[in-house]
Amino acid sequence: MDTRLLVLPVPQRVAFEAGECWLPEPLTVGPTGSAAYDATIRRELNARTARQARTAQVQFLPAAGAPADLAEFATDPEGYALVAAANGVSVWAAQPAGHLYAALTLRQILRQCGHRIPCLRIGDKPKLRHRGAMLSFPQGHTAYRTTLMRHIVPELARWKINALYLYLESYFDFPSLPHFAGPGAMTPDDAKELDRFCQAYNIQLIPQLNVMAHCGEILTLQKYHHLVECPPNQDFRTLPGFNLCATTPEVRTLVETMLTDLFGCFSAPLIHVGGDEVSSLGECPRCQPHLTELGKPGLYLDYFGNVRDIAAKHGRKIGIWGDMLLHYYKDAKPEDRKRVFAPLRQNTVIYDWHYSGGSPDTLKFFVAEGFETIACSSTHLCYSSALWPGQAVNQRLLFGDAVAAGALGGMTTAWCNFTGLHEEHFNYLFASAGTVLWSGPGDKTLAPDLDLATFEKAYLLQRYGFTNDTLTRYWHILGDARGPVLSVLAPLHGVNPRKCLYHTDNVLTFWKHYAHLLRDDGLERYRTGIADARRIWEQVKTDTAAGVDPYLPYQEAPLLMHEHLLRRYEMTEAVYAAYDDAAKAQFEDPKLCTKRLNEAADRLLAHVNDFPPIEKYLTAARKEFGLDRSSQLRLAATRRKMEELAAFLRSLATSGRPLPAFIQMHDVFLDVPRTNWYGDREHEWATGPARFQRYTLQSGPWTAAVANADREADQA
Ligand SMILES: [Zn+2]
């Protein structure tokens, strides 16, 4: 076997001993004392309960009997001591969670070694007590999928994650607010079922509301629109809606209703209530008197103090993001600073979020202020178009700071499951985060004695059963910022590629934004990088044992995206060349002009043949992951508008109109141009067949001042 364990997270202490421990199938296990964990352990080890506990091959024993050198691990609330000897495996733990974690470690050892494992002694316990992962639902309106969640929860438990956050904002089928959530929302039955399922894996299921900012889902209902926080110089009826008013009693009642409903569905002692990125607070006439009395920090703390008190009535704590508290603290007068946090200090957990590296000062600050503090990194999903393995470095830095600051723990946020990708595509980064949260960071490596290459090797083995590195090579080709694909697209190599495909109905958008990057040798490099990724992905597919992981095939998503964008780009260049020829010939050689315009239209329509792979993918991703329907609608609209553009190109041949610059096809024909003045050559866009006419629309309020208004006032 390998000279080291390929187990994630890395146990704190491992010592190999002479000899082997044979664990023939079917494995027999003893009871842990927790019926729920026993069932989980049997499932995870593919084992059955021994008829007599003392004959079991794997024995779960109380911490008191642990070998002296491993006692410090066995007595930890989640720790364990595990000894594999010739006569079987013994596990000592103080709590059932420790027994469960030992079993999950054993599962990974069996996966690496088969049924003859080396004799060894393991002592293990977590560096951080709270180890969270988050999934987002409202951003993209991801529909709830039970099968997916039942797949994700055991995966997270295997990385020893013990808290699963569901970012709901208000996208939940609240029993007290019928018809509120809209289609696809998680229901109370879903929540209760998932809550039970998580408990059996030692995972707290923690819902996340947002009760001040990010409340667009509430405020875009007419029934609640008047609850928007509205500056005095505005009419609330004309505002889009983002912040709830902090003082209106109706808001407080609504929030209490939502909280109470969630407490009835989720058993966790903690609920996250948002509180981040507040852009408007205390500005409306209702708030003004309170603002004068309390100031913005006071108003914010009064509001969340009330939320905290509602939670306390139900025996729960609240969690809030740290950004606004840092902001208000910074702005407070020195003499006020001491009391800024006083109203919240009890029963409030702070989530200090930093997605691009460490933040030792803010973490130390919150801990010193007496808060239970959780450091929040991310998967960077909303900033990228493929798994970005480099984010593991940022996780290590931040969670390392959390350990050093004495924080309660860390969690990995995940935003915006939409436009073609879901967190499941980024599962690697939940494993890397779980590893650092449990094992702590290494000095220069991901975790102590675990470099990134070894992490990846262990991850592929444990998640997918792969013993080669083909899949990680695929991920790096598509995901590394300096890799062969993204380096060509820099600086637009983050989320832009997938937005140019799934967040537009304009077939020319990718070309418009990337032409300057793909000219010269860029296109060839992009093509080569994509071809390499395709070759390696085909290898991944042949390596796959049938049914090894139902979600593995979806890892093809970023490749399908790039392949499509490449074809779209090649199409556009060909259309451009024909169109440019047509323009040159237009009034000298009308026949040639017509021929070229027809060629341009034909080439454009041939691109329709490139759609089935991504359409098929989106349909499947909708079914499996609940990804947004809007992306499917945008693709369908893109095709429709391509047909219109093709018809327009053909019509230009006989129109007598000098051909508009090609970019006008993007800016005017396929988009609605907005301007406060008039569009260039709008007179030509306003004539011709109605189907092809276009006009500009106002882009914003007309701000030009009335001439000599001051003089008018003087005369009054
Ligand atoms: Zn207000």
Side-chain angles (χ1 to χ4, degrees):
M1 64 163 276
D2 210 292
T3 53
R4 57 173 300 158
L5 287 184
L6 292 173
V7 166
L8 299 175
V10 185
Q12 303 289 353
R13 190 190 295 172
V14 179
F16 291 98
E17 302 199 317
E20 282 183 339
C21 170
W22 188 40
L23 299 169
E25 279 185 312
L27 201 57
T28 56
V29 294
T32 64
S34 157
Y37 285 170
D38 284 349
T40 306
I41 288 169
R42 284 197 300 274
R43 193 160 54 240
E44 290 292 311
L45 291 178
N46 195 20
R48 59 185 174 80
T49 307
R51 280 210 187 82
Q52 289 181 306
R54 61 189 172 74
T55 66
Q57 293 162 300
V58 183
Q59 308 261 359
F60 295 100
L61 306 162
D69 62 317
L70 298 176
E72 60 165 306
F73 301 102
T75 51
D76 182 274
E78 293 176 298
Y80 61 91
L82 183 154
V83 173
N87 60 348
V89 175
S90 304
V91 172
W92 296 269
Q95 302 285 337
H99 286 136
L100 173 67
Y101 283 148
L104 293 173
T105 300
L106 180 61
R107 171 196 160 92
Q108 295 194 20
I109 298 172
L110 291 167
R111 207 161 161 114
Q112 180 185 359
C113 306
H115 288 272
R116 278 183 196 282
I117 70 171
C119 289
L120 47 73
R121 300 164 72 80
I122 293 177
D124 201 9
K125 62 179 180 179
K127 274 276 194 273
L128 287 166
R129 192 57 66 199
H130 188 94
R131 304 175 300 280
M134 183 189 123
L135 292 174
S136 171
F137 290 84
Q139 299 186 321
H141 303 96
T142 309
Y144 184 79
R145 294 287 183 256
T146 302
T147 309
L148 176 66
M149 296 308 294
R150 291 185 76 98
H151 183 83
I152 286 176
V153 167
E155 291 291 346
L156 295 177
R158 288 166 202 154
W159 321 132
K160 299 188 170 70
I161 298 285
N162 64 5
L164 172 56
Y165 289 82
L166 302 180
Y167 185 72
L168 302 168
E169 273 179 11
S170 57
Y171 188 40
F172 182 77
D173 191 11
F174 294 97
S176 304
L177 304 171
H179 316 296
F180 172 85
M186 184 185 209
T187 67
D189 285 346
D190 293 333
K192 288 172 194 166
E193 193 266 349
L194 185 62
D195 193 280
R196 274 194 302 277
F197 189 67
C198 284
Q199 282 179 38
Y201 280 91
N202 193 44
I203 288 178
Q204 282 183 5
L205 186 65
I206 301 170
Q208 290 178 275
L209 269 180
N210 220 327
V211 299
M212 187 174 267
H214 292 283
C215 286
E217 301 293 323
I218 300 171
L219 291 168
T220 44
L221 288 177
Q222 182 64 16
K223 183 178 178 181
Y224 300 115
H225 189 209
H226 62 288
L227 302 178
V228 67
E229 180 57 25
C230 177
N233 59 349
Q234 297 277 335
D235 185 321
F236 82 85
R237 297 172 302 169
T238 65
L239 294 187
F242 182 72
N243 303 282
L244 285 172
C245 172
T247 57
T248 308
E250 199 182 337
V251 166
R252 296 192 176 208
T253 306
L254 176 64
V255 168
E256 178 157 13
T257 300
M258 296 165 90
L259 285 168
T260 307
D261 277 359
L262 291 181
F263 295 143
C265 301
F266 294 88
S267 67
L270 176 64
I271 184 166
H272 195 295
V273 291
D276 60 321
E277 299 183 320
V278 176
S279 56
S280 177
L281 172 67
E283 297 181 19
C284 78
R286 296 170 296 217
C287 284
Q288 275 297 327
H290 302 274
L291 185 71
T292 311
E293 184 194 344
L294 300 169
K296 283 201 181 189
L299 197 53
Y300 182 88
L301 292 165
D302 173 72
Y303 182 82
F304 280 100
N306 177 61
V307 174
R308 188 265 324 270
D309 293 344
I310 295 168
K313 275 196 288 184
H314 297 265
R316 321 286 178 110
K317 290 183 190 180
I318 62 164
I320 60 174
W321 302 112
D323 56 314
M324 295 311 295
L325 293 174
L326 290 172
H327 172 76
Y328 291 134
Y329 189 87
K330 188 161 61 64
D331 281 0
K333 296 191 203 100
E335 63 269 28
D336 288 343
R337 281 190 169 176
K338 272 203 164 53
R339 56 181 188 83
V340 163
F341 295 143
L344 269 189
R345 215 169 256 127
Q346 295 299 312
N347 291 326
T348 305
V349 179
I350 301 296
Y351 292 73
D352 187 21
W353 54 280
H354 303 276
Y355 303 157
S356 304
S359 185
D361 294 345
T362 58
L363 286 164
K364 277 185 213 150
F365 169 75
F366 281 121
V367 171
E369 283 288 328
F371 286 107
E372 291 186 299
T373 305
I374 293 174
C376 300
S377 185
S378 80
T379 61
H380 252 49
L381 168 75
C382 60
Y383 300 119
S384 40
S385 295
L387 164 70
W388 180 41
Q391 179 65 357
V393 175
N394 290 328
Q395 294 175 336
R396 174 177 71 84
L397 292 171
L398 186 73
F399 296 150
D401 291 342
V403 172
L408 179 64
M411 75 114 119
T412 305
T413 64
W415 307 101
C416 294
N417 298 313
F418 84 136
T419 55
L421 288 177
H422 184 276
E423 285 306 330
E424 167 49 27
H425 290 101
F426 287 50
N427 55 57
Y428 167 119
L429 288 166
F430 283 126
S432 55
T435 297
V436 184
L437 291 170
W438 177 279
S439 307
D443 283 340
K444 293 202 169 64
T445 54
L446 184 67
D449 196 28
L450 184 77
D451 59 26
L452 217 48
T454 311
F455 161 78
E456 290 181 344
K457 197 172 171 186
Y459 183 63
L460 286 200
L461 173 71
Q462 299 301 346
R463 165 73 203 249
Y464 293 105
F466 287 146
T467 51
N468 60 38
D469 67 349
T470 318
L471 181 56
T472 47
R473 281 195 290 137
Y474 168 79
W475 279 333
H476 283 284
I477 284 190
L478 287 178
D480 285 351
R482 292 197 180 82
V485 174
L486 295 188
S487 64
V488 184
L489 305 182
L492 304 177
H493 56 333
V495 72
N496 286 287
R498 70 180 160 117
K499 296 197 82 167
C500 283
L501 178 55
Y502 295 125
H503 209 189
T504 183
D505 60 5
N506 189 330
V507 72
L508 302 179
T509 295
F510 182 68
W511 179 81
K512 175 172 168 125
H513 294 304
Y514 287 85
H516 71 294
L517 298 168
L518 293 175
R519 65 188 174 190
D520 304 328
D521 68 334
L523 182 61
E524 197 45 44
R525 285 165 53 215
Y526 189 46
R527 197 179 277 137
T528 306
I530 292 170
D532 281 352
R534 167 55 63 189
R535 189 172 45 74
I536 293 173
W537 176 252
E538 292 303 316
Q539 247 173 286
V540 172
K541 286 202 290 189
T542 44
D543 292 343
T544 308
V548 64
D549 187 296
Y551 297 101
L552 177 63
Y554 293 93
Q555 292 290 336
E556 192 179 10
L559 176 57
L560 293 174
M561 174 196 73
H562 283 299
E563 286 177 337
H564 185 92
L565 289 174
L566 174 63
R567 292 194 185 108
R568 186 169 285 193
Y569 187 83
E570 290 168 338
M571 172 279 290
T572 312
E573 286 292 348
V575 169
Y576 183 94
Y579 186 83
D580 193 43
D581 276 357
K584 284 175 186 141
Q586 186 172 12
F587 297 108
E588 285 73 37
D589 187 348
K591 256 194 181 148
L592 179 63
C593 175
T594 303
K595 184 164 176 280
R596 288 285 182 261
L597 283 173
N598 283 330
E599 284 167 7
D602 291 345
R603 183 64 185 84
L604 173 67
L605 289 182
H607 180 48
V608 166
N609 297 326
D610 299 324
F611 277 58
I614 50 172
E615 287 169 338
K616 201 172 142 217
Y617 161 71
L618 279 193
T619 303
R622 168 79 188 156
K623 181 165 171 275
E624 297 294 338
F625 300 120
L627 282 188
D628 62 314
R629 284 205 67 227
S630 301
S631 293
Q632 293 175 288
L633 297 180
R634 288 183 206 105
L635 271 193
T638 304
R639 288 175 65 144
R640 276 201 308 277
K641 291 177 71 174
M642 282 163 58
E643 282 163 22
E644 287 302 283
L645 179 58
F648 178 57
L649 292 174
R650 292 188 214 282
S651 81
L652 282 171
T654 52
S655 69
R657 170 180 174 181
L659 298 194
F662 185 74
I663 192 58
Q664 288 233 303
M665 302 302 153
H666 176 281
D667 294 348
V668 179
F669 189 82
L670 294 175
D671 267 344
V672 181
R674 288 174 186 270
T675 169
N676 271 346
W677 202 233
Y678 61 89
D680 293 323
R681 303 195 73 88
E682 198 163 350
H683 61 308
E684 283 178 325
W685 284 111
T687 51
R691 178 184 176 190
F692 301 140
Q693 288 169 8
R694 294 293 184 272
Y695 44 77
T696 61
L697 293 174
Q698 186 174 331
S699 67
W702 188 269
T703 54
V706 175
N708 296 328
D710 297 345
R711 198 173 303 162
E712 187 181 280
D714 289 345
Q715 288 167 3

